Amino acid sequence: MTSPHASVDAAAPTPSPAHAGRKPYRVSLVFVSIFAALVLLHLPLLRLPYYWDEAGYFVPAAHDLLHTGRLIPRSTLSNAHPPLVMAYLALGWKLFGETIVVTRLLMTLVAAATLAGVFCLARRFAGQAVAVATVASTALYSVVFTQTTMAHLDMAAAAFTIWGLLLYLPTNARDNNDDATNASAGATNEGDDVTNELDAATGAPAAPRADAATVRYTNPLMRRLSAVALFALAALSKETAILTPLALFGWELLCLVSSRRSKTMRSLCVEPRRGALWPLLLLLSLVPLALWLTYHYLHTGYFFGNPEFFRFNVESTVTPARILFAGAIRLWHVTAYKNLFFLTGAAALAMFLRPLADASVERARISIPVQLVFAVVTLAHVVALSLVGGAVLARYMLPVVPLVILVCVSTLRRRVRRWPLIVALACAAFAFALVVNPPYRYPWEENLAYRDFILLHKDAAQFLSERYPDAKVITSWPASDELRNAHFGYTDKPLMVLTTVEHFSATELAAAAAREPQYDTVLIFSTNNKFRDLHADEAARLLGGQLVYQNQRRGQWIAVIRKASGEQ
């Protein structure tokens, strides 16, 4: 039996008009091209010192693994995050050197793998033009752009999730019982030859150039087990990645039960005729994470991180008001955040237009069953991450935001004649959000404000190390870690931090000064809580000290206060 997705060669059948003139390509070339483009776009960011959670957990954990071989960190409290990303960084440092540039490039490789997966997914179900536009939009989206070089877990989870979905979905997935869509499936499935090169990116079988190879690749069990393996790697990157296989498991069970009675429901499912054991295979992807959590429990005495971590991320979040608040923010993250509403709003308005036709053939859509898979996975992330997670950060939604962008771009291409112009305007809006700070409070890592924070702190740390190398400092986290750890990139040698305050309120600063009478320097900086924290001149008056250094960048500031009796 010959697969309709075999690459075009001498042994292949004559291509259909929809595929005529299309040339096979290699995923490796797409990946390398995306990586090169990302490096060029992020050149000014590759030498930035580590920021916030990077310095707070992920880099120290990888550093411990490199130098001690321990999966559970010792230089910072373990929070039970699975170790795959930290092991990846440690291996990269061992091969290329433990430097900030190496870290940034290693994470850019992960981002390139994510975008290559987005390209392949979009090209298979919406065509090459949509794939290019989707990758460009995703890469320029503010949250994706900043996370591209940062040593966090979410981009790796997104990479494995996207590639897992690519293998999870059948290569010929289309609207079941929809003759009109099936007739135009050539356009919808343009790019199926991406499966010929999955070996380069996922370890799947080699390019199918003969019937036997094609049958081997399209074997449903092999395809499912490959997807399960990638979902398992996603969960070993970040524990919340189990949401994808769990959501798909629930959706398949619903399909299994409902499709037997309802033809309509059967038409909404990707593979409605599978047996009862088929969904259970997805649960195998949870096994590696369960083994890791068991290992963590045996070595620390708790499954889900230290008690403070668990209390912040789980116990304190399960209240009705908090769930409603977080749910609203999660919906905002996947529909409108950082000018995403330009794209989602345009797609929503486009739904009022009739589909366009090329040569009397209606432009195909992403099939409804595939869109429902995207919707189920996205909804699972919105709901679950409204229940847990002390910090409601936009990067937690990285595995699903590309799916939203893909559906929007595909909708615009199907219904709007000048859709490239609308996508270009959306990209411009994303770039605007990247460089222009909004008037409301938000985590600085979600646009280039994080770069301003880093540069301010680096300049202040260098001022301290040059002018007051023996200073006894009071400050708040993360500056306390920045001063203590030279390999974070802020100072050439560690400085002495006597105590760390929770925040820069009058009460906290006065208590710290009384607790550590031998201090001579306070490093104070702007935070996201402008109503609670004192400004530098107010803190200087409270402490009876002198401002010896001040600096500011785009609304953020930092200052050094010296005791009046200290050496100036």
Side-chain angles (χ1 to χ4, degrees), residues 43-51 54-55 59 89 93 96-108 149-151 450 454 458 485-491:
L43 273 178
L45 309 176
L46 295 180
R47 296 184 181 277
L48 288 180
Y50 297 122
Y51 172 79
E54 292 184 298
V59 169
L89 290 176
W93 291 341
F96 306 109
E98 190 180 358
T99 67
I100 291 173
V101 172
V102 168
T103 304
R104 302 294 182 210
L105 290 175
L106 287 171
M107 297 313 299
T108 304
T149 59
M150 298 184 75
Y450 90 96
I454 289 174
K458 183 177 181 179
N485 299 278
H487 66 276
F488 286 173
Y490 292 87
T491 64

Side-chain angles (χ1 to χ4, degrees), residues 128-335:
Q128 183 158 307
V130 170
V132 172
T134 301
V135 167
S137 303
T138 304
L140 290 175
Y141 179 59
S142 179
V143 180
V144 174
F145 189 96
T146 58
Q147 293 302 313
T148 291
T149 59
M150 298 184 75
H152 291 152
L153 310 181
D154 308 274
M155 190 63 77
F160 287 119
T161 297
I162 295 295
W163 281 101
L165 286 172
L166 187 67
L167 285 172
Y168 169 83
L169 293 165
T171 57
N172 64 342
R174 56 179 66 107
D175 292 343
N176 298 313
N177 304 320
D178 188 338
D179 294 335
T181 302
N182 291 344
S184 60
T188 305
N189 293 312
E190 182 188 27
D192 285 342
D193 54 357
V194 67
T195 60
N196 301 341
E197 299 299 335
L198 282 174
D199 59 308
T202 67
R209 294 189 176 275
D211 290 353
T214 300
V215 170
R216 185 173 72 239
Y217 175 73
T218 56
N219 178 278
L221 179 60
M222 184 172 184
R223 175 170 53 78
R224 169 134 307 200
L225 291 177
S226 299
V228 166
L230 288 169
F231 290 147
L233 290 172
L236 284 177
S237 299
K238 188 174 184 182
E239 61 277 9
T240 54
I242 62 170
L243 291 173
T244 296
L246 286 176
L248 296 176
F249 170 74
W251 177 243
E252 287 191 1
L253 285 183
L254 179 63
C255 286
L256 182 66
V257 173
S258 303
S259 62
R260 293 175 178 176
R261 302 184 182 92
S262 170
K263 183 179 179 181
T264 301
M265 188 64 190
R266 187 161 59 248
S267 70
L268 299 178
C269 300
V270 172
E271 295 180 292
R273 295 179 176 87
R274 297 294 180 186
L277 293 178
W278 193 246
L280 292 175
L281 291 174
L282 290 167
L283 299 184
L284 293 176
S285 60
L286 279 59
V287 172
L289 178 62
L291 292 175
W292 158 251
L293 293 176
T294 302
Y295 174 87
H296 189 272
Y297 173 78
L298 293 175
H299 285 78
T300 65
Y302 34 79
F303 277 104
F304 303 112
N306 64 78
E308 182 180 351
F309 176 82
F310 183 78
R311 184 166 48 252
F312 177 72
N313 286 283
V314 180
E315 290 180 351
S316 65
T317 64
V318 190
T319 63
R322 171 59 169 68
I323 291 170
L324 289 174
F325 172 75
I329 294 179
R330 289 304 181 198
L331 283 173
W332 177 255
H333 284 162
V334 297
T335 59

Side-chain angles (χ1 to χ4, degrees), residues 412-488:
L412 291 171
R413 188 256 176 196
R414 174 172 158 83
R415 298 175 181 271
V416 179
R417 185 71 63 183
R418 295 188 177 181
W419 69 273
L421 176 60
I422 296 178
V423 173
L425 291 174
C427 288
F430 294 166
F432 181 86
L434 181 64
V435 298
V436 177
N437 298 335
Y440 52 82
R441 199 176 93 179
Y442 70 103
W444 288 324
E445 67 177 44
E446 292 170 0
N447 76 350
L448 288 179
Y450 90 96
R451 179 176 180 269
D452 297 323
F453 181 95
I454 289 174
L455 294 178
L456 283 173
H457 282 231
K458 183 177 181 179
D459 289 345
Q462 290 179 342
F463 170 83
L464 279 175
S465 63
E466 291 172 3
R467 290 283 302 274
Y468 309 107
D470 299 320
K472 300 177 180 64
V473 184
I474 292 175
T475 189
S476 182
W477 188 85
S480 53
D481 284 353
E482 295 164 4
L483 297 180
R484 288 177 176 139
N485 299 278
H487 66 276
F488 286 173

